[in-house]
């Protein structure tokens, strides 16, 4: 069907300018291709990326902008070449919807690092030249390679945050062999990413210590998330008591913070992984060199690892802590997210509230 004759049959919420205020918006999705899947969206997680691009913080936002890259839903139609998924299957879509599928990274199932550039789920240019629009919408059309099978009986609302928050911490934990029972893990920051790092750490059999600037998070860290220890990072006595005691650290904090005090908590040859996004990183080279330590970074993950994570969460009954909201509350939710006022991930009930 010619695009000019298509009707605007996709309902969503979009930002029209850098105020970031979202409101109802109708638009047209691209036609279903032979390798595509059309997904009825039931839920979409709310990520800080939605704030960043809705408000043009990076400076490259393309309006009208429909955010959302933690998508869960049901297959409603498949292209003629699609074999592994069928109508009615529960599926997810994460932070990207295309890549070159030919470079070394794509061939190694690391499409997120595609040499020619991945195509982001929203605010990017799709294969048909249109701007990609995300999961704050009624349905989406995606190449089958970038769709993930959500295990049966795993709640779709819980699956959504795994597609960004979950895979962002799961990928480096697997890459650095953190799935070793008895080892020790420190988690800096207890938000959407941090609470998933705690859950994965406990499932791996690690001794998990949570570091936070606020004593207010102690009860939930120890009792809800079942961390083994909780440390207020400004308490020098507590910090000194953990010197050279940790095998791994996952740093999820995006606010600027010192690195040396945390690096000194690693054992010899310990690994420090940064998944947050502070404006700068400063540390003494001696902290790395004298301890033979490793400082690494990571962002989301490839398709193979994402599917493995979904299967792992289902098998081990790992569920994000979520607050389900109607789409009409999304502007308030984004404001609360900016203030850190969420435990621990907002998830939009698209199916029942987007009309």
């Amino acid at each position: 069907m010619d695009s000019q004759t298509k009707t605007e049959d996709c309902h969503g919420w979009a930002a029209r300018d850098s105020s970031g205020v979202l409101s109802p918006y109708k638009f047209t999705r691209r036609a279903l291709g032979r390798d595509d899947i059309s997904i009825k969206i039931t839920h979409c997680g709310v990520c800080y990326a939605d704030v960043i691009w809705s408000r043009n913080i990076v400076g490259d936002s393309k309006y009208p902008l429909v955010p959302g890259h933690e998508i869960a839903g049901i297959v409603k139609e498949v292209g003629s070449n699609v074999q592994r998924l069928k109508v009615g299957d529960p599926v997810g879509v994460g932070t990207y919807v295309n890549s070159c599928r030919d470079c070394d990274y794509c061939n190694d199932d690391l499409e997120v690092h595609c040499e020619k550039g991945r195509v982001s789920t929203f605010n990017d240019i799709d294969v048909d030249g249109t701007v990609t629009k995300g999961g704050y919408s009624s349905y989406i059309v995606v190449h089958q390679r970038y769709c993930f099978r959500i295990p049966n009986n795993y709640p779709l609302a819980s699956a959504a945050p795994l597609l960004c928050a979950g895979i962002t911490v799961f990928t480096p934990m697997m890459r650095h062999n953190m799935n070793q029972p008895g080892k020790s893990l420190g988690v800096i920051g207890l938000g959407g990413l941090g609470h998933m790092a705690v859950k994965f750490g406990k499932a791996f059999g690690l001794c998990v210590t949570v570091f936070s600037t606020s004593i207010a998070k102690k009860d939930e860290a120890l009792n809800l998330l079942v961390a083994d220890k909780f440390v207020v990072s400004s308490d020098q006595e507590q910090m000194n008591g953990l010197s050279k005691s940790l095998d791994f650290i996952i740093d999820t904090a995006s606010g600027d913070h010192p690195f040396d005090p945390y690096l000194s908590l690693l054992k010899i040859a310990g690994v420090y992984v940064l998944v947050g996004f502070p404006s700068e990183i400063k540390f003494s080279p001696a902290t790395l060199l004298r301890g033979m330590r490793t400082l690494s970074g990571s962002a989301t993950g490839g398709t193979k690892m994402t599917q493995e994570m979904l299967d792992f969460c289902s098998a081990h009954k790992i569920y994000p802590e979520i607050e389900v909201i109607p789409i009409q509350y999304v502007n308030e939710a984004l404001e609360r997210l900016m203030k850190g006022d969420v435990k621990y991930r907002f998830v939009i009930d698209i199916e029942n509230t987007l009309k």
Side-chain angles (χ1 to χ4, degrees), residues 235-256:
D235 188 324
Q236 199 58 52
E237 185 176 347
Q238 288 189 72
M239 294 289 283
N240 290 341
L242 292 174
S243 179
K244 297 182 180 178
S245 67
L246 302 175
D247 295 290
F248 313 108
I249 290 177
I250 296 282
D251 185 349
T252 71
S254 288
D256 288 338

PDB file of all heavy atoms in Angstrom, residues 235-256:
ATOM      1  N   ASP A 235      29.730   7.564  54.860  1.00  0.00           N
ATOM      2  CA  ASP A 235      30.212   7.103  56.164  1.00  0.00           C
ATOM      3  C   ASP A 235      31.613   6.515  55.986  1.00  0.00           C
ATOM      4  O   ASP A 235      31.779   5.369  55.549  1.00  0.00           O
ATOM      5  CB  ASP A 235      29.257   6.063  56.737  1.00  0.00           C
ATOM      6  CG  ASP A 235      29.589   5.668  58.174  1.00  0.00           C
ATOM      7  OD1 ASP A 235      30.793   5.599  58.506  1.00  0.00           O
ATOM      8  OD2 ASP A 235      28.654   5.420  58.953  1.00  0.00           O
ATOM      9  N   GLN A 236      32.623   7.292  56.302  1.00  0.00           N
ATOM     10  CA  GLN A 236      33.996   6.882  56.047  1.00  0.00           C
ATOM     11  C   GLN A 236      34.383   5.622  56.810  1.00  0.00           C
ATOM     12  O   GLN A 236      35.149   4.785  56.313  1.00  0.00           O
ATOM     13  CB  GLN A 236      34.956   8.017  56.419  1.00  0.00           C
ATOM     14  CG  GLN A 236      36.336   7.893  55.780  1.00  0.00           C
ATOM     15  CD  GLN A 236      36.273   7.852  54.259  1.00  0.00           C
ATOM     16  OE1 GLN A 236      35.666   8.694  53.625  1.00  0.00           O
ATOM     17  NE2 GLN A 236      36.899   6.838  53.670  1.00  0.00           N
ATOM     18  N   GLU A 237      33.857   5.455  57.993  1.00  0.00           N
ATOM     19  CA  GLU A 237      34.181   4.275  58.785  1.00  0.00           C
ATOM     20  C   GLU A 237      33.664   3.001  58.106  1.00  0.00           C
ATOM     21  O   GLU A 237      34.376   1.990  58.029  1.00  0.00           O
ATOM     22  CB  GLU A 237      33.573   4.401  60.188  1.00  0.00           C
ATOM     23  CG  GLU A 237      33.961   3.250  61.120  1.00  0.00           C
ATOM     24  CD  GLU A 237      33.442   3.439  62.539  1.00  0.00           C
ATOM     25  OE1 GLU A 237      32.990   4.564  62.868  1.00  0.00           O
ATOM     26  OE2 GLU A 237      33.482   2.463  63.309  1.00  0.00           O
ATOM     27  N   GLN A 238      32.424   3.074  57.607  1.00  0.00           N
ATOM     28  CA  GLN A 238      31.875   1.916  56.894  1.00  0.00           C
ATOM     29  C   GLN A 238      32.683   1.621  55.637  1.00  0.00           C
ATOM     30  O   GLN A 238      32.980   0.457  55.332  1.00  0.00           O
ATOM     31  CB  GLN A 238      30.417   2.172  56.511  1.00  0.00           C
ATOM     32  CG  GLN A 238      29.423   2.152  57.649  1.00  0.00           C
ATOM     33  CD  GLN A 238      27.999   2.207  57.131  1.00  0.00           C
ATOM     34  OE1 GLN A 238      27.488   1.236  56.571  1.00  0.00           O
ATOM     35  NE2 GLN A 238      27.357   3.361  57.306  1.00  0.00           N
ATOM     36  N   MET A 239      33.026   2.658  54.899  1.00  0.00           N
ATOM     37  CA  MET A 239      33.777   2.478  53.660  1.00  0.00           C
ATOM     38  C   MET A 239      35.161   1.885  53.941  1.00  0.00           C
ATOM     39  O   MET A 239      35.601   0.948  53.254  1.00  0.00           O
ATOM     40  CB  MET A 239      33.913   3.811  52.928  1.00  0.00           C
ATOM     41  CG  MET A 239      32.595   4.389  52.415  1.00  0.00           C
ATOM     42  SD  MET A 239      31.888   3.481  51.025  1.00  0.00           S
ATOM     43  CE  MET A 239      32.930   4.064  49.680  1.00  0.00           C
ATOM     44  N   ASN A 240      35.844   2.398  54.946  1.00  0.00           N
ATOM     45  CA  ASN A 240      37.168   1.880  55.287  1.00  0.00           C
ATOM     46  C   ASN A 240      37.107   0.412  55.692  1.00  0.00           C
ATOM     47  O   ASN A 240      38.029  -0.367  55.428  1.00  0.00           O
ATOM     48  CB  ASN A 240      37.781   2.701  56.422  1.00  0.00           C
ATOM     49  CG  ASN A 240      38.161   4.108  55.978  1.00  0.00           C
ATOM     50  OD1 ASN A 240      38.309   4.374  54.787  1.00  0.00           O
ATOM     51  ND2 ASN A 240      38.322   5.010  56.949  1.00  0.00           N
ATOM     52  N   GLY A 241      36.015   0.035  56.322  1.00  0.00           N
ATOM     53  CA  GLY A 241      35.873  -1.347  56.767  1.00  0.00           C
ATOM     54  C   GLY A 241      35.725  -2.341  55.633  1.00  0.00           C
ATOM     55  O   GLY A 241      35.864  -3.548  55.842  1.00  0.00           O
ATOM     56  N   LEU A 242      35.445  -1.848  54.426  1.00  0.00           N
ATOM     57  CA  LEU A 242      35.264  -2.733  53.271  1.00  0.00           C
ATOM     58  C   LEU A 242      36.443  -2.672  52.300  1.00  0.00           C
ATOM     59  O   LEU A 242      36.374  -3.212  51.197  1.00  0.00           O
ATOM     60  CB  LEU A 242      33.981  -2.362  52.525  1.00  0.00           C
ATOM     61  CG  LEU A 242      32.669  -2.645  53.254  1.00  0.00           C
ATOM     62  CD1 LEU A 242      31.492  -2.102  52.466  1.00  0.00           C
ATOM     63  CD2 LEU A 242      32.494  -4.143  53.487  1.00  0.00           C
ATOM     64  N   SER A 243      37.536  -2.048  52.703  1.00  0.00           N
ATOM     65  CA  SER A 243      38.708  -1.927  51.828  1.00  0.00           C
ATOM     66  C   SER A 243      39.158  -3.286  51.294  1.00  0.00           C
ATOM     67  O   SER A 243      39.289  -4.257  52.044  1.00  0.00           O
ATOM     68  CB  SER A 243      39.855  -1.265  52.592  1.00  0.00           C
ATOM     69  OG  SER A 243      41.002  -1.154  51.769  1.00  0.00           O
ATOM     70  N   LYS A 244      39.353  -3.358  49.983  1.00  0.00           N
ATOM     71  CA  LYS A 244      39.833  -4.564  49.292  1.00  0.00           C
ATOM     72  C   LYS A 244      39.001  -5.801  49.617  1.00  0.00           C
ATOM     73  O   LYS A 244      39.536  -6.902  49.779  1.00  0.00           O
ATOM     74  CB  LYS A 244      41.309  -4.821  49.638  1.00  0.00           C
ATOM     75  CG  LYS A 244      42.246  -3.717  49.188  1.00  0.00           C
ATOM     76  CD  LYS A 244      43.686  -4.035  49.515  1.00  0.00           C
ATOM     77  CE  LYS A 244      44.612  -2.917  49.048  1.00  0.00           C
ATOM     78  NZ  LYS A 244      46.038  -3.184  49.394  1.00  0.00           N
ATOM     79  N   SER A 245      37.686  -5.635  49.657  1.00  0.00           N
ATOM     80  CA  SER A 245      36.822  -6.764  50.028  1.00  0.00           C
ATOM     81  C   SER A 245      35.915  -7.256  48.905  1.00  0.00           C
ATOM     82  O   SER A 245      35.313  -8.331  49.018  1.00  0.00           O
ATOM     83  CB  SER A 245      35.938  -6.367  51.219  1.00  0.00           C
ATOM     84  OG  SER A 245      35.006  -5.360  50.839  1.00  0.00           O
ATOM     85  N   LEU A 246      35.808  -6.492  47.812  1.00  0.00           N
ATOM     86  CA  LEU A 246      34.844  -6.825  46.763  1.00  0.00           C
ATOM     87  C   LEU A 246      35.518  -7.370  45.512  1.00  0.00           C
ATOM     88  O   LEU A 246      36.556  -6.876  45.079  1.00  0.00           O
ATOM     89  CB  LEU A 246      34.025  -5.588  46.391  1.00  0.00           C
ATOM     90  CG  LEU A 246      33.241  -4.924  47.527  1.00  0.00           C
ATOM     91  CD1 LEU A 246      32.580  -3.639  47.022  1.00  0.00           C
ATOM     92  CD2 LEU A 246      32.195  -5.867  48.098  1.00  0.00           C
ATOM     93  N   ASP A 247      34.892  -8.375  44.926  1.00  0.00           N
ATOM     94  CA  ASP A 247      35.379  -8.907  43.649  1.00  0.00           C
ATOM     95  C   ASP A 247      34.905  -8.060  42.477  1.00  0.00           C
ATOM     96  O   ASP A 247      35.620  -7.885  41.495  1.00  0.00           O
ATOM     97  CB  ASP A 247      34.878 -10.345  43.457  1.00  0.00           C
ATOM     98  CG  ASP A 247      35.440 -11.306  44.484  1.00  0.00           C
ATOM     99  OD1 ASP A 247      36.648 -11.587  44.411  1.00  0.00           O
ATOM    100  OD2 ASP A 247      34.670 -11.750  45.365  1.00  0.00           O
ATOM    101  N   PHE A 248      33.660  -7.542  42.597  1.00  0.00           N
ATOM    102  CA  PHE A 248      33.052  -6.793  41.502  1.00  0.00           C
ATOM    103  C   PHE A 248      32.287  -5.590  42.044  1.00  0.00           C
ATOM    104  O   PHE A 248      31.785  -5.616  43.166  1.00  0.00           O
ATOM    105  CB  PHE A 248      32.057  -7.668  40.726  1.00  0.00           C
ATOM    106  CG  PHE A 248      32.554  -9.036  40.375  1.00  0.00           C
ATOM    107  CD1 PHE A 248      32.064 -10.159  41.031  1.00  0.00           C
ATOM    108  CD2 PHE A 248      33.507  -9.209  39.380  1.00  0.00           C
ATOM    109  CE1 PHE A 248      32.509 -11.431  40.707  1.00  0.00           C
ATOM    110  CE2 PHE A 248      33.957 -10.479  39.044  1.00  0.00           C
ATOM    111  CZ  PHE A 248      33.462 -11.598  39.716  1.00  0.00           C
ATOM    112  N   ILE A 249      32.198  -4.561  41.209  1.00  0.00           N
ATOM    113  CA  ILE A 249      31.335  -3.420  41.498  1.00  0.00           C
ATOM    114  C   ILE A 249      30.568  -3.066  40.223  1.00  0.00           C
ATOM    115  O   ILE A 249      31.152  -2.995  39.136  1.00  0.00           O
ATOM    116  CB  ILE A 249      32.133  -2.186  41.965  1.00  0.00           C
ATOM    117  CG1 ILE A 249      32.716  -2.418  43.368  1.00  0.00           C
ATOM    118  CG2 ILE A 249      31.238  -0.937  41.986  1.00  0.00           C
ATOM    119  CD1 ILE A 249      33.584  -1.278  43.869  1.00  0.00           C
ATOM    120  N   ILE A 250      29.255  -2.871  40.370  1.00  0.00           N
ATOM    121  CA  ILE A 250      28.424  -2.319  39.294  1.00  0.00           C
ATOM    122  C   ILE A 250      28.016  -0.923  39.732  1.00  0.00           C
ATOM    123  O   ILE A 250      27.350  -0.754  40.752  1.00  0.00           O
ATOM    124  CB  ILE A 250      27.163  -3.173  39.050  1.00  0.00           C
ATOM    125  CG1 ILE A 250      27.519  -4.582  38.550  1.00  0.00           C
ATOM    126  CG2 ILE A 250      26.238  -2.472  38.057  1.00  0.00           C
ATOM    127  CD1 ILE A 250      27.895  -4.646  37.090  1.00  0.00           C
ATOM    128  N   ASP A 251      28.412   0.079  38.970  1.00  0.00           N
ATOM    129  CA  ASP A 251      28.120   1.474  39.301  1.00  0.00           C
ATOM    130  C   ASP A 251      26.997   1.976  38.401  1.00  0.00           C
ATOM    131  O   ASP A 251      27.182   2.176  37.205  1.00  0.00           O
ATOM    132  CB  ASP A 251      29.383   2.319  39.107  1.00  0.00           C
ATOM    133  CG  ASP A 251      29.203   3.772  39.536  1.00  0.00           C
ATOM    134  OD1 ASP A 251      28.060   4.184  39.795  1.00  0.00           O
ATOM    135  OD2 ASP A 251      30.215   4.500  39.595  1.00  0.00           O
ATOM    136  N   THR A 252      25.808   2.170  38.983  1.00  0.00           N
ATOM    137  CA  THR A 252      24.654   2.609  38.209  1.00  0.00           C
ATOM    138  C   THR A 252      24.359   4.096  38.384  1.00  0.00           C
ATOM    139  O   THR A 252      23.385   4.605  37.822  1.00  0.00           O
ATOM    140  CB  THR A 252      23.390   1.816  38.617  1.00  0.00           C
ATOM    141  OG1 THR A 252      22.959   2.220  39.920  1.00  0.00           O
ATOM    142  CG2 THR A 252      23.669   0.320  38.622  1.00  0.00           C
ATOM    143  N   ALA A 253      25.182   4.785  39.155  1.00  0.00           N
ATOM    144  CA  ALA A 253      24.907   6.196  39.478  1.00  0.00           C
ATOM    145  C   ALA A 253      25.229   7.105  38.293  1.00  0.00           C
ATOM    146  O   ALA A 253      26.317   7.030  37.714  1.00  0.00           O
ATOM    147  CB  ALA A 253      25.724   6.625  40.690  1.00  0.00           C
ATOM    148  N   SER A 254      24.296   7.980  37.954  1.00  0.00           N
ATOM    149  CA  SER A 254      24.518   8.925  36.854  1.00  0.00           C
ATOM    150  C   SER A 254      24.924  10.304  37.337  1.00  0.00           C
ATOM    151  O   SER A 254      25.401  11.115  36.555  1.00  0.00           O
ATOM    152  CB  SER A 254      23.255   9.022  35.984  1.00  0.00           C
ATOM    153  OG  SER A 254      23.096   7.847  35.222  1.00  0.00           O
ATOM    154  N   GLY A 255      24.728  10.594  38.606  1.00  0.00           N
ATOM    155  CA  GLY A 255      25.210  11.857  39.150  1.00  0.00           C
ATOM    156  C   GLY A 255      26.710  11.817  39.324  1.00  0.00           C
ATOM    157  O   GLY A 255      27.308  10.749  39.476  1.00  0.00           O
ATOM    158  N   ASP A 256      27.370  12.964  39.274  1.00  0.00           N
ATOM    159  CA  ASP A 256      28.817  12.997  39.450  1.00  0.00           C
ATOM    160  C   ASP A 256      29.189  12.528  40.855  1.00  0.00           C
ATOM    161  O   ASP A 256      28.556  12.922  41.838  1.00  0.00           O
ATOM    162  CB  ASP A 256      29.345  14.409  39.216  1.00  0.00           C
ATOM    163  CG  ASP A 256      29.300  14.790  37.740  1.00  0.00           C
ATOM    164  OD1 ASP A 256      29.278  13.871  36.905  1.00  0.00           O
ATOM    165  OD2 ASP A 256      29.285  15.999  37.438  1.00  0.00           O
TER     166      ASP A 256
END
